[in-house]
Structures are given as C-alpha cells and as structure tokens.
Amino acid sequence: MPAITLPDGSQRQFDHAVSIADIAQDIGPGLAKAALAGRVDGRLVDTAHVVDADARVAIVTGKDEEGLEIIRHSTAHLLAQAVQQLFPQAQVTIGPVIENGFYYDFAFERAFTPEDLEAIEAQMRKLAGADLPVRREVMQRDEAIEYFNGIGEHYKAEIIADIPADQQISLYRQGDWVDLCRGPHVPSTGFLKAFKLTSVAGAYWRGNSSNEMLQRIYGTAWPDRKALKKYLVRLEEAERRDHRRIGKDLDLFSLQEDAGGGLVFWHPKGARIRRVMEDFWRDQHVAAGYELLYTPHIALQTLWDTSGHTDFYREGMYEPMVEDERLYQLKPMNCPFHVLIYKNALRSHRDLPMRWAELGTVYRHEMSGALHGLMRVRGFTQDDAHIFCREEQIADEIVAILDLTLDTLAAFGFDDFAIELSTRPEKAVGSDEIWDKATAALRAALQAKEIDFAVDEGGGAFYGPKIDVKIRDAIGRQWQCSTVQLDFNLPERFDMEYVAEDGARHRPIMIHRALLGSLERFFGILIEHYEGRFPAWLAPVQAVILNITDRQDKYALEIEETLKNQGFRVETDLRNEKIGFKIRQHTLQRVPYLLVVGDREAESNTVAVRTRSGEDLGSLSTDEFAQRLRTEVAGRGLATLED
Ligand SMILES: [Zn+2]
Ligand SMILES: [Zn+2]
C-alpha cells in the first residue's frame, strides 16, 4: 500500500489507495481547502487523481506557479462555459494561459461588446458561486471527434483530429458543460474567486490570416482578490502610459493602415526626439572609437545564401523581388553588409579592432496579429554595430561595449539592469576551445565591471555566446534592449581574414551588438517610461512662451528668437486665449517649461517660469533661464531642474 513522500522528505503510509485530496486532508484541513492539484513523481494531476503505489507527492496551491496557471486555465474554461450559456451559437476553439492571465478564442458571428463582457463576467461569477465540481472523463480519439462534431463544436473536433488515433482524450465536465483538455483543473468552480475580463480582439483561427476571424476574449485571474486588485492597479498604470495613446495625444508618430501594418511614421515632434537620440548616439559612438557606416536596403539574395539567412532566418524575411532576372532581398539584418565592407580590402592585424556602427533600417516579416504599436513592427532601425577583432582583444572590447551600453542607457534615464550571459547550446558551430575562451572573456568582462548577472547555460545562439541587458522602467517592467553577441559563423561563411604578425592568414572574431535595440521600440519604451514627460534634453518643445495680452506679442517673439538662436527648441503661443487655458493646454502637452510674459515681465526684461508639474520658479531673465536649461540639457536623463 502506498508510501507517500512529501517535498520536505517526510513519509506518510496509507493502507489503501488515496487521492491527492485525501493526502492533503491527511496533512491538514487548511491544505485540503487550498489544494488545487497535485504533483505525483513530477507529473501534474487533479486532486481527484488516485495514487495506489509509492510516490513522491506535492500538493499544489495558488501560492505555486503551477497553481496560478491552473487557476488561470480553469478560469478560461469558466469563461467558455459562460459564453456558451449566453451565446449558444458561439463555438469554442482554444483558451491558453498567457502572462498574467488567459484568453479564449470563440467562433462567433460578431465582435463581443463591452456590455457582452460585463454580462459574461457576471455569468462567470454565478457559475463560480454555484461551486460546480470539475470532473475528468476519458474518451478514445475517434469517439471524441464524433462527440464534438455531434454537439456542433467543429473547431474542437478539428483540434482532436490532429492528435494520434491511438491516444486517449481527456475531457472536463463542469455542470452540463464539457471541454476538451489535458488538465489538470481546480477541483470545483468555487476555487475561482478573483478574475476579470479585460479586453476583446479579433484573431485568426490557428493564427493564419487566410483562415476565418475569431473573437478573442482576454482575462486575468489570481488566487485572491488582493492579488487581483494589485494587478489591476498596475494594468491601469500601464494603460495610462500606453505609448500608442500618448503618441497620438502628443502627435509624435502614427502607424498608417493605408501603408500597411507595422510601419512607423514619425511626425515632426517625434522626429525631433529621434534626431536628438540619433545625434547623441552618433557622438557617443565616435567618442568610443567607432566609424559610422551607411549601407543599402536591398541586396542580391545570393548574399543571404552565403550568410545563411535564407536558410535559418527564412520566415523572418520578405519575398525577394526580381530585377534583371536576379533576386533581390529586402534586408532583415545589417551584418552581411558590414562583412562586405570588411572584405573590400586586405586587413592587417594592425587594423583590428575595427568598430563599425550603423543606424540600419531593416524589414522583418511579422504576423499581423503580433504587431503592437512601436513595440512590434515590420520595419525598424537598429542601432547596430559590428566589431571585428583578434581573439585576444575580445575581453577589452566587451568591457568597452558594456561601458558604452550602460552609459547610453543611463543617459536615457535607465539605471536598473538585469544582465544575462548565455553559453554554448548543444548544437553549435566553432571549436570548444574558441567557445570556452570567448565565454570566459564575456564572464571576465562582467566580473571586471562588478555587474551581477545570471547565466543561461546552453541558451546561446548556435554561432556564439552572448550577453543580454534588460532595463527596468519607471513602473518596474523589464524590457530587453541591448545585446552583445559573439559570432564564429559569419567570418567562416564569408571566409574573412586578416594578416597576422607572422604573415599568416587568420580569422577575425565578429561581435554584433545593439544598445537600444530598435529606435522605434526604444522610443515606445521611452514614452511609457516617462509617460510622455520627456526630460528637457529630449523634449520636442523645451519651453513655450505664453503672452497674457497682445501688448506682449513683440516681446514674446524676441525671447523666442533669443532662445532659438542658442539652439533650444522653443515655441510661442500668441493666441488670444485666457492665460490659464494656455497653461493647461501646454501642460497637457508635457512641455517642460512655460514662460509667461505680461506687462511686468516685458518692462523688466524677464520671464515668469513655471514647470509642467506646476512649480513656480519665479521671474528669471532670459539669460538666467537659458543658462539653467543648458545645464539641465547637458545632464540629460540624470539631472532635472524640475522634479
Ligand atoms: Zn483545461
Ligand atoms: Zn549583426
């Protein structure tokens, strides 16, 4: 009879077969009430699962990562049950768990409205309140196909048809409602206490745009109401910062459906910010010993055959275009272009390291459903660079790259990083010796800089180890931006060489690296990080001059000219509106400084300075203000007068 070993090593003997629920009860009534599922010798099972032989058993509750997944997954079923009770014509398809929640796709004749979502959520609460037991049943595959076709669920039948014929299919029944599922599930619907439906969107069946459009309902679920509330507050915060909304309110950029999805249009104010970002980036690179390159947007497909991209990166590339019976490829990467420039001359060991940077615009195929504002697009500009160096130069180059990376990110207001080193995967090109040396160099560089980092063993690309840098934004979200990637593959494929001291030919090491990642995505992150309140060095308008009456028109324009002549981005608002109205409007536009001029200021040659956060800095002469702004701009993201 079963001896059950618990995670703490203790054992319990039973003289009969026992369910997970029995074992939880035997440990204590509190655990019995909290038990959502069990883990038997590593395998997740329902609480009703019966153990009849010796096993290691853990009780899964809402405190465990798996428990949280079970809650979310079970809530997706609850959603589907509620939808089908309210809308019997809706067919169910799939309902997976995602970060922070779940979704469920339904085949339905129209989009669900916000009122529908409310009604569905109310129905879900009713079903949860009824505390319906959730029971597992098993069918043969063909029997299950027949069953689901019989109840008009053709999508489910199609999913099951993809499962091998000899496999048993598990179904879950709650009340009179049944869904196909591998499980496990909560023991009864009463365990689902803290959930909320968040949004609805269209999605293609099986993610394929030639298939029919389904209605996807998103929701979130948590073990208790407190955790749900905390998440909803965070969500609200993220929504308030949504770069798509702020981008529109501040007239920074747009995505034009007339031009196709995932293509970014930078409006004048967004373009001003981009120019500042680019100028800063170029200056930083030149100071760090880089040369700047420009390369074309298309090239013969044969180049991509040589690099291997048509082979291992095919799905990320657009179809080639034909010119003079030859195929040209829109570039998904800049790397091979930099290699061609390298190969344009015979290189000597004295030429190395060569550091070449380019703001290179690339085009990558993304499914339309995956596109998201500036965060996921089809055309974007990488802040790319390639370093060609000798083996013994790797360590110094990595240290220099890390310096440049952290300095640059700090200037944009990010100083909280999570860094990860990824090492050799099972399948890899290059000798063990070079992998060991290179990985040791990356590790040494991180240690030399006294940076905490995690190691993802085996997580490197097949062509080399890498370092990834994630930044944490103002509300604690992490974004992967910078990456430093060693490459033992391209130099081989392109037969790159340099002449060493002894006259022999050697292969250079190639390092790919990006600091910001993509300018478009980084801009999106910046907008959300600052909530559109860009520091003065980035702000598209650094100060706006507001007259109180038309008597100060001339004076206001003089100040504008003075400040513009010093390189500041300044505007004047001479509209015949109340000063309070003008202040409110430019505050909403997040202009860092509002310079109010009335008769008193015009007579005394001053401006009354207010910040967008409402602080009154008093009267300053134009020179005094310019001096303060200049100091602030020079300090970039690290210094602000204002906050
Ligand atoms: Zn399920
Ligand atoms: Zn590259």
Side-chain angles (χ1 to χ4, degrees):
M1 284 290 108
I4 304 299
T5 308
L6 297 171
D8 64 2
S10 67
Q11 275 206 346
R12 273 162 204 265
Q13 291 286 343
F14 295 92
D15 56 9
H16 50 85
V18 281
S19 70
I20 298 297
D22 295 335
I23 297 168
Q25 186 65 48
D26 192 58
I27 299 170
L31 191 62
K33 255 180 82 180
L36 297 175
R39 209 172 328 107
V40 178
D41 293 330
R43 192 167 66 93
L44 275 177
V45 296
D46 295 308
T47 52
H49 178 86
V50 173
V51 184
D52 54 11
D54 294 355
R56 286 177 299 109
V57 172
I59 306 297
V60 175
T61 72
K63 290 201 181 93
D64 304 309
E65 197 55 44
E66 294 113 319
L68 191 55
E69 280 213 7
I70 289 169
I71 286 174
R72 288 175 180 161
H73 177 78
S74 299
T75 311
H77 281 273
L78 193 70
L79 162 64
Q81 184 180 14
V83 165
Q84 292 203 308
Q85 286 184 343
L86 297 179
F87 307 96
Q89 317 88 314
Q91 285 186 59
V92 290
T93 67
I94 55 160
V97 170
I98 53 173
E99 203 187 344
N100 296 319
F102 59 89
Y103 67 76
Y104 210 113
D105 285 349
F106 299 93
F108 192 50
E109 61 209 5
R110 61 168 175 84
F112 291 109
T113 63
E115 291 73 35
D116 291 337
L117 286 199
E118 267 176 44
I120 295 166
E121 203 180 294
Q123 184 69 11
M124 288 167 72
R125 284 189 206 297
K126 228 158 92 186
L127 291 167
D131 197 20
L132 305 170
V134 181
R135 293 206 178 90
R136 181 187 171 91
E137 294 172 11
V138 174
M139 277 187 196
Q140 291 305 316
R141 188 198 72 160
D142 291 344
E143 191 188 349
I145 294 176
E146 204 172 304
Y147 173 78
F148 279 103
N149 271 326
I151 58 171
E153 297 290 357
H154 304 298
Y155 292 89
K156 283 285 172 198
E158 193 181 322
I159 294 168
I160 300 168
D162 287 345
I163 299 171
D166 55 351
Q167 261 186 40
Q168 283 198 330
I169 307 293
S170 61
L171 309 178
Y172 279 82
R173 185 182 294 277
Q174 51 199 54
D176 55 2
W177 188 80
V178 179
D179 199 357
L180 161 75
C181 191
R182 203 177 293 139
H185 281 235
V186 294
S188 68
T189 56
F191 281 81
L192 308 174
K193 296 185 190 79
F195 54 82
K196 176 137 194 67
L197 300 183
T198 48
S199 63
V200 55
Y204 293 107
W205 168 234
R206 300 195 169 210
N208 184 340
S209 60
S210 54
N211 287 345
E212 56 274 39
M213 176 74 86
L214 305 173
Q215 302 303 326
R216 175 171 298 176
I217 298 179
Y218 287 95
T220 185
W222 298 84
D224 55 60
R225 284 189 228 282
K226 213 173 119 196
L228 172 67
K229 183 140 185 257
K230 205 169 139 201
Y231 170 71
L232 291 177
V233 167
R234 202 149 47 95
L235 195 66
E236 227 170 77
E237 177 85 46
E239 255 161 43
R240 215 175 54 229
R241 289 169 182 265
D242 191 319
H243 70 281
R244 293 167 299 181
R245 201 174 66 205
I246 294 176
K248 198 167 168 207
D249 290 348
L250 303 189
D251 195 17
L252 301 175
F253 71 91
S254 59
L255 295 142
Q256 303 276 347
E257 280 314 312
D258 289 348
L263 300 168
V264 181
F265 291 75
W266 296 72
H267 295 197
K269 284 190 176 148
R272 285 185 192 179
I273 299 176
R274 175 159 171 170
R275 186 171 70 102
V276 176
M277 288 166 68
E278 288 190 3
D279 286 350
F280 171 67
W281 185 92
R282 288 195 188 93
D283 290 347
Q284 288 270 93
H285 280 75
V286 171
Y290 285 74
E291 295 289 346
L292 301 176
L293 306 182
Y294 297 90
T295 62
H297 284 226
I298 60 170
L300 282 174
Q301 198 186 44
T302 46
L303 180 67
W304 305 99
D305 293 335
T306 307
S307 68
H309 286 97
T310 44
D311 190 19
F312 63 76
Y313 199 66
R314 181 73 261 174
E315 75 284 4
M317 291 159 68
Y318 284 96
E319 287 300 310
M321 46 195 138
V322 185
E323 175 69 33
D324 292 337
E325 292 173 25
R326 302 173 85 184
L327 295 177
Y328 283 83
Q329 178 68 53
L330 198 52
K331 75 170 164 184
M333 314 242 175
N334 305 299
C335 333
F337 291 48
H338 294 193
V339 171
L340 290 187
I341 298 178
Y342 179 97
K343 281 179 61 88
N344 202 48
L346 180 62
R347 309 293 177 181
S348 139
H349 63 95
R350 275 184 303 268
D351 299 327
L352 305 181
M354 290 163 87
R355 308 183 190 100
W356 290 346
E358 177 179 13
L359 292 169
T361 303
V362 297
Y363 295 88
R364 295 183 185 175
H365 177 69
E366 293 280 358
M367 302 283 251
S368 58
L371 299 174
H372 178 79
L374 295 174
M375 303 305 190
R376 195 97 177 248
V377 294
R378 287 176 170 152
F380 58 92
T381 301
Q382 280 185 310
D383 70 317
D384 210 354
H386 296 97
I387 292 151
F388 304 103
C389 66
R390 306 198 305 259
E391 236 176 80
E392 63 273 22
Q393 292 172 325
I394 295 175
D396 286 348
E397 288 307 309
I398 300 296
V399 170
I401 291 170
L402 287 173
D403 280 335
L404 182 60
T405 304
L406 302 187
D407 281 359
T408 303
L409 293 174
F412 285 103
F414 301 102
D415 53 8
D416 188 357
F417 309 108
I419 297 181
E420 193 171 77
L421 168 67
S422 301
T423 64
R424 190 183 202 280
E426 214 145 279
K427 264 185 71 181
V429 299
S431 67
D432 286 353
E433 191 203 344
I434 184 68
W435 271 90
D436 289 348
K437 263 194 204 164
T439 310
L442 294 181
R443 206 182 281 270
L446 288 166
Q447 282 159 351
K449 298 217 44 74
E450 294 183 0
I451 293 173
D452 284 336
F453 62 97
V455 179
D456 180 7
E457 290 293 350
F462 73 90
Y463 49 83
K466 63 172 178 169
I467 294 172
D468 290 322
V469 179
K470 283 189 189 139
I471 53 178
R472 195 184 294 280
D473 75 7
I475 56 169
R477 294 173 301 179
Q478 283 196 336
W479 303 92
Q480 156 82 60
C481 292
S482 320
T483 176
V484 185
Q485 171 88 60
L486 265 62
D487 188 344
F488 313 134
N489 185 45
L490 279 192
E492 202 67 39
R493 281 181 165 265
F494 279 94
D495 194 22
M496 297 171 73
E497 294 178 335
Y498 68 90
V499 181
E501 277 106 330
D502 59 4
R505 305 285 171 107
H506 286 260
R507 283 258 185 274
I509 297 288
M510 183 172 184
I511 304 171
H512 311 252
R513 50 112 282 203
L515 308 186
L516 310 178
S518 124
L519 291 186
E520 285 76 5
R521 180 166 169 277
F522 194 76
F523 185 40
I525 295 168
L526 276 182
I527 293 171
E528 300 203 355
H529 177 60
Y530 287 121
E531 207 182 337
R533 300 155 66 87
F534 296 104
W537 80 286
L538 286 172
V541 180
Q542 295 168 317
V544 61
I545 302 145
L546 312 174
N547 62 338
I548 292 175
T549 71
D550 57 12
R551 284 196 301 279
Q552 300 96 35
D553 282 8
K554 191 164 154 274
Y555 179 62
L557 291 170
E558 278 169 21
I559 293 173
E560 180 186 333
E561 203 189 328
T562 307
L563 291 172
K564 274 191 170 159
N565 285 341
Q566 298 181 51
F568 295 116
R569 298 182 290 277
V570 191
E571 284 178 1
T572 303
D573 183 351
L574 299 180
R575 285 176 306 163
N576 184 20
E577 300 280 0
K578 287 221 165 61
I579 188 69
F581 173 81
K582 292 204 270 193
I583 287 175
R584 202 156 48 246
Q585 223 178 29
H586 294 285
T587 300
L588 283 175
Q589 284 293 305
R590 278 91 148 172
V591 177
Y593 295 103
L594 312 176
L595 312 182
V596 179
V597 294
D599 285 336
R600 203 158 46 124
E601 284 76 20
E603 275 156 31
S604 62
N605 243 318
T606 58
V607 290
V609 183
R610 286 174 65 100
T611 70
R612 62 187 157 195
S613 50
E615 200 187 338
D616 184 353
L617 298 183
S619 281
L620 300 178
S621 75
T622 315
D623 278 352
E624 282 171 322
F625 173 73
Q627 193 48 48
R628 290 184 73 155
L629 186 55
R630 192 171 300 115
T631 308
E632 183 179 342
V633 166
R636 300 212 168 72
L638 304 175
T640 52
L641 270 182
E642 185 205 356
D643 306 305

